[in-house]
Amino acid sequence: MELSENYQFNYRKLLKFLSRKDSSGYMFAMADDYRFISQINTSLQAELEQSNTNSSIVFLQSNADEPLVEQLKAAGTFAHAIIVANLYEVINSADGLNQLLLLNFSREELRSIQSPALFWVDAQSLNVIANQAPDLFSQRRFTTIHFTGKVEHPMPEVLEKPDWQEYVNTDKFKETEARIETLKRRFEDAEESGYNASRIASEIAIPLAFEYAQLGFAEKAEVLLTKYEALLDNTNSNQLKQLAKVYYQLHQYPVAIETLQKANDIIERNLSKQARDTVYPSDWFYNIIDLSDWMKEYGLPNDAINLLTKAETLLLENIGQYPVNTKDNIIALFKERLGDLHFTLGNLEKAKDYFEQGLNIAQQLERSNPHREQLKRNLSVSYDQLGD
């Protein structure tokens, strides 16, 4: 483990803040290497227990019935100190900005909790807090604590992955490993506490299986699937999509394709129960894009072309019902995928035409949102494909 010189100073500052009984307020901390978070939290909790300070490590649920501040209040009822391990995940999620604004509006309630609270953030979420929730940011108790450096672990022998030595040095590997450690702890705590088995399945076990599968730990992923897959809600499209991605990472393409198709079928059935003018949600189209990718990898490029073509026709028929950026982004992805599929089949003129259409849309999107890195990446991909 490589540590910055101020590691112990920062750690002691967190410990001192959380040790203050009959105190309140909150502060933020961040780490360049996400794996520090789990290790620091475990160490903090152990030292707090030695000083008879009861602490609670909280994982906020953005999709729960209770607002975030109520989840924190509940934790404060049973603990002298609160450690929120995943605020960065909540803020960086699809509904993160709304969740942050609600927390900002509830900051007085947050300050009234008679337990000091530590929130773990990252550079991106901290920037969002500072800009979108300035009151929440300015009313923190101390300057944000920043742990620099990185954690080094030996290479697992069970994983067979090309270029493994290079992969373990990437940020993606480190973030995946950090998520595994976090989910493992939650999984063990949930099973020991008798947490609802169906919620363990959807909220912890299947996400953990996905992370294992990403790193090639097939046996560990399959153990979780064997025990918890049957407890998923087969009428919930989001849970089915989550399961499909696990099977995709395990290279079980037929099961992955079938499961994701079931997810889209559920979305369609739910739409049929609503008003006639209800249009397909963007999630349905993004699922189609994933399905086309998986079909291509499984050797079904023509099926993928038919799927994308039908979905594109459906989108264009209801084009006025979608936000401009959402519509343009989906169409650009359709063009990119169709071009790639025709390129694979040797239909170079069709591929060139689709890539040019996709490039034109990608250029428009990047010009309208010049600060979004994802759009810049998409534009570079379009140039690369057309160059090929």
Side-chain angles (χ1 to χ4, degrees):
M1 179 187 298
E2 296 181 13
L3 301 177
S4 60
E5 293 181 359
N6 66 349
Y7 178 89
Q8 287 299 331
F9 175 80
N10 285 341
Y11 177 83
R12 290 298 162 190
K13 195 167 184 178
L14 294 184
L15 183 61
K16 183 177 180 180
F17 170 69
L18 293 170
S19 299
R20 295 179 175 178
K21 295 182 180 180
D22 301 322
S23 180
S24 62
Y26 56 90
M27 66 181 298
F28 301 113
M30 59 189 295
D32 290 344
D33 190 328
Y34 287 73
R35 290 171 293 179
F36 271 136
I37 297 176
S38 177
Q39 295 180 7
I40 292 171
N41 288 347
T42 300
S43 182
L44 285 171
Q45 194 166 46
E47 290 205 52
L48 288 168
E49 287 178 1
Q50 290 178 8
S51 61
N52 296 317
T53 300
N54 182 30
S55 62
S56 176
I57 297 179
V58 178
F59 295 88
L60 296 174
Q61 300 292 329
S62 59
N63 58 352
D65 293 334
E66 288 184 323
L68 299 184
V69 70
E70 294 300 326
Q71 295 177 45
L72 292 168
K73 283 182 179 179
T77 303
F78 303 101
H80 298 120
I82 302 171
I83 302 172
V84 180
N86 69 330
L87 184 62
Y88 62 92
E89 287 183 346
V90 172
I91 294 176
N92 294 335
S93 67
D95 192 42
L97 182 57
N98 288 333
Q99 295 293 332
L100 175 61
L101 293 177
L102 289 173
L103 191 60
N104 186 49
F105 292 143
S106 306
R107 60 188 176 277
E108 294 304 323
E109 293 182 72
L110 181 61
R111 288 171 61 84
S112 69
I113 299 174
Q114 294 302 306
S115 301
L118 167 64
F119 292 99
W120 282 101
V121 295
D122 59 9
Q124 179 178 335
S125 60
L126 187 65
N127 183 60
V128 175
I129 294 170
N131 286 282
Q132 301 295 332
D135 293 329
L136 182 69
F137 182 74
S138 64
Q139 291 178 22
R140 68 195 189 282
R141 290 291 296 273
F142 299 103
T143 302
T144 302
I145 299 296
H146 185 183
F147 290 88
T148 57
K150 59 183 179 179
V151 179
E152 297 294 347
H153 285 300
M155 181 179 70
E157 296 179 358
V158 295
L159 182 64
E160 295 182 4
K161 191 179 184 72
D163 303 319
W164 171 248
Q165 194 61 56
E166 291 76 18
Y167 179 65
V168 296
N169 293 319
T170 65
D171 289 339
K172 182 178 180 181
F173 168 79
K174 293 171 183 175
E175 291 170 9
T176 301
E177 192 178 49
R179 287 193 295 270
I180 285 176
E181 291 302 315
T182 298
L183 286 166
K184 280 172 60 179
R185 182 184 177 89
R186 291 177 63 190
F187 180 72
E188 291 166 1
D189 290 346
E191 286 203 321
E192 288 176 5
S193 64
Y195 194 65
N196 180 276
S198 295
R199 296 192 66 176
I200 292 178
S202 62
E203 297 174 9
I204 307 174
I206 301 305
L208 179 55
F210 173 77
E211 301 297 347
Y212 277 142
Q214 280 201 108
L215 291 188
F217 299 122
E219 291 185 2
K220 291 184 177 181
E222 288 171 355
V223 166
L224 290 169
L225 289 174
T226 300
K227 184 173 182 180
Y228 283 101
E229 180 181 346
L231 297 176
L232 293 176
D233 181 0
N234 285 325
T235 66
N236 186 310
S237 61
N238 290 327
Q239 291 186 22
L240 287 178
K241 181 176 182 178
Q242 193 175 48
L243 178 63
K245 288 188 172 183
V246 177
Y247 280 115
Y248 169 72
Q249 290 294 333
L250 293 172
H251 304 295
Q252 297 186 28
Y253 295 114
V255 182
I257 291 169
E258 180 184 2
T259 305
L260 190 52
Q261 285 176 328
K262 286 180 180 178
N264 262 14
D265 290 344
I266 289 170
I267 294 174
E268 290 184 4
R269 286 199 296 273
N270 290 338
L271 283 173
S272 67
K273 299 174 184 178
Q274 301 174 19
R276 290 183 180 179
D277 59 352
T278 300
V279 298
Y280 284 72
S282 58
D283 282 351
W284 188 89
F285 292 101
Y286 286 120
N287 287 350
I288 292 294
I289 292 167
D290 284 339
L291 279 169
S292 71
D293 289 344
W294 300 355
M295 287 177 173
K296 178 192 171 188
E297 291 187 48
Y298 189 51
L300 301 172
N302 287 309
D303 289 353
I305 288 174
N306 291 335
L307 188 70
L308 286 169
T309 303
K310 291 177 182 177
E312 184 180 32
T313 300
L314 180 62
L315 176 63
L316 294 175
E317 287 175 351
N318 298 278
I319 200 71
Q321 303 294 326
Y322 297 94
V324 174
N325 283 350
T326 299
K327 172 257 299 181
D328 287 346
N329 187 58
I330 293 173
I331 292 178
L333 292 173
F334 279 173
K335 301 299 185 186
E336 173 195 315
R337 282 350 191 251
L338 285 166
D340 191 45
L341 287 161
H342 281 291
F343 183 80
T344 299
L345 292 171
N347 303 326
L348 300 187
E349 285 300 322
K350 284 188 176 181
K352 179 173 175 289
D353 181 53
Y354 278 118
F355 286 148
E356 287 175 338
Q357 293 179 52
L359 174 61
N360 182 51
I361 298 172
Q363 288 172 328
Q364 295 175 28
L365 287 169
E366 196 277 334
R367 283 196 295 266
S368 63
N369 299 273
H371 302 297
R372 287 190 59 188
E373 292 301 319
Q374 181 62 41
L375 295 179
K376 293 181 184 297
R377 193 196 73 81
N378 292 348
L379 181 58
S380 69
V381 169
S382 294
Y383 276 120
D384 186 58
Q385 290 175 322
L386 187 57
D388 285 343

